[in-house]
Each structure stands twice: as structure tokens, then as C-alpha cells.
Amino acid sequence: MGVTTTTEIDLPPLTDPQLEILSIDEQPDRCWDVEGSPRSAKSWGIGFLIWKLAYKYPGIQIFYSRYLDGGLIQLRDIWSKVSVHFPPYLHPQWNSKDECYDFPGGKMIGEVYTGSRVFLSPIKSTEMDAVHSKYKGKTLAVIVVDEAS
């Protein structure tokens, strides 16, 4: 008889937009535009969704960006605030070479990581002509642009 283990994830009370965001992967639509009132914690909802996807679909590759100057600082701030709701052994490790978070459970085979990954990248207003260069060459299942105009 196998041993069953459970993971306790301590999510805070969620807003209606966050609850809607967390069900995106259960809907048939492929593209989503998440909108709502300011300060309704949509960015946190996206952060929770990214963690959910990383564990629900092992090996998934996600591009997480923010369209604002200073976006990388804001992305990392949101990421760190969301991460405290997950046990430390579930936390991904920052991979500075590939500029992404590598989630536990994968391994490096040559230059390829087999586990889930989240690439963080800002999209600055001065880079709009070359926005696709941010993720060109990556095999991605999900692209998130927070604060898109």
C-alpha cells in the first residue's frame, strides 16, 4: 500500500477576479483578457494561476511579462508576495543563465530543462517594435502580459 502525501497551500481569501483567473485553464477559450477594477489583485491572481499551471502541467513553459518600464522589479515583487503562500519545498529556483524560474521535479538534459519553467521579462515602451524578440525561440504554452495596453 502506497503512502499518500498532501501539500498544504495556504492561499489568502481570493477576490472574484482572482477566482475567475484561477479557472482559466479549465475553460475552452485559448485567449483571455482579464480586466477588472483597480486594486482587485488581478496580478496576484495571475501569479497564483502560474504556480497552479506549473504543477498541474509538469514541463510547461510560461512567459510572464509586464508592460511597464520597471516591469521586472514589479514582476519579481508580485512573484515573491505570491510565493509565500506555498511551502518552501515547492519553490522554484532562479536560473540566471536562462532568466527563468525552474520548478522542482525536472532535470537538465544537455541544455534542456525537463521541468516547468517560468520566464520573467519586462516589456518596456521603447521595445514595442521588438516585443516578439523577448520570447522568440522558446517553446511556450502560456504567455502572460500583465498591465498590457
Side-chain angles (χ1 to χ4, degrees), residues 59-78:
I60 194 169
Q61 307 264 323
I62 300 168
F63 181 78
Y64 181 32
S65 62
R66 190 170 177 96
Y67 176 71
L68 284 173
D69 292 335
L72 187 58
I73 293 167
Q74 293 165 332
L75 284 174
R76 286 190 174 157
D77 181 55
I78 293 165

Side-chain angles (χ1 to χ4, degrees), residues 5-67:
T5 60
T6 60
T7 300
E8 291 294 322
I9 297 173
D10 182 29
L11 295 182
L14 300 175
T15 66
D16 287 340
Q18 288 173 330
L19 291 170
E20 181 182 345
I21 290 165
L22 279 173
S23 70
I24 285 176
D25 66 307
E26 300 161 14
Q27 306 302 320
D29 301 323
R30 292 185 58 198
C31 296
W32 281 80
D33 176 18
V34 177
E35 295 187 23
S37 63
R39 314 301 313 159
S40 62
K42 298 175 297 294
S43 295
W44 279 50
I46 294 294
F48 290 129
L49 174 66
I50 290 171
W51 279 72
K52 174 187 175 186
L53 296 175
Y55 282 104
K56 186 174 180 182
Y57 305 101
I60 194 169
Q61 307 264 323
I62 300 168
F63 181 78
Y64 181 32
S65 62
R66 190 170 177 96
Y67 176 71

Side-chain angles (χ1 to χ4, degrees), residues 88-109:
Y89 69 89
L90 290 178
H91 286 210
Q93 296 297 310
W94 178 249
N95 178 329
S96 59
K97 178 181 176 237
D98 295 329
E99 297 181 346
C100 64
Y101 282 102
D102 291 339
F103 277 79
K107 61 183 177 181
M108 289 301 291
I109 300 177

Side-chain angles (χ1 to χ4, degrees), residues 65-69 71 122-125 128 145-149:
S65 62
R66 190 170 177 96
Y67 176 71
L68 284 173
D69 292 335
I123 299 174
K124 298 177 183 168
S125 57
M128 283 312 295
V145 180
D146 195 351
E147 296 289 336
S149 296

